């Protein structure tokens, strides 16, 4: 009997760098995978309004968590 393949979690912390963040998220969503996954993006209260707006607009494609204040990369990654 095959071993069940449970879903994996993919976490993308976001702070700044709209183009880079969009590329990273799009590459995860477009990846051909053998295993289901859950993509969670965490907006760490970044200073780029355009990036925050894009994340909110695309949140139907992934789970979006939004911080009300910056917590830093390590805390954000650990939260994910």
């Amino acid at each position: 009997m095959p071993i069940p393949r449970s879903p994996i979690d993919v976490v993308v912390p976001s702070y700044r760098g709209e183009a880079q963040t969009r590329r990273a998220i799009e590459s995860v969503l477009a990846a051909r995978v053998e295993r289901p996954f859950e993509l969670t993006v965490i907006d760490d209260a970044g200073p780029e309004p355009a990036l925050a707006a894009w994340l909110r607009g695309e949140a139907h494609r992934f789970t979006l968590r939004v911080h009300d204040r910056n917590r830093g990369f390590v805390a954000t990654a650990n939260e994910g």
Side-chain angles (χ1 to χ4, degrees):
M1 177 189 284
I3 297 172
R5 301 190 86 183
S6 59
I8 59 171
D9 293 317
V10 178
V11 178
V12 176
S14 172
Y15 178 71
R16 72 171 63 208
E18 180 183 0
Q20 297 86 349
T21 303
R22 288 175 72 161
R23 275 196 309 270
I25 291 169
E26 292 295 346
S27 71
V28 170
L29 293 171
R32 290 187 153 171
V33 295
E34 295 179 15
R35 210 168 166 174
F37 66 90
E38 167 88 24
L39 173 59
T40 300
V41 178
I42 305 174
D43 179 354
D44 193 22
E48 297 180 10
L51 175 56
W54 184 83
L55 291 171
R56 284 192 309 273
E58 296 297 315
H60 63 281
R61 300 170 67 199
F62 47 80
T63 299
L64 177 62
R65 299 181 80 163
V66 179
H67 291 168
D68 57 352
R69 63 179 175 76
N70 180 264
R71 297 181 189 169
F73 176 80
V74 174
T76 300
N78 283 339
E79 177 186 337

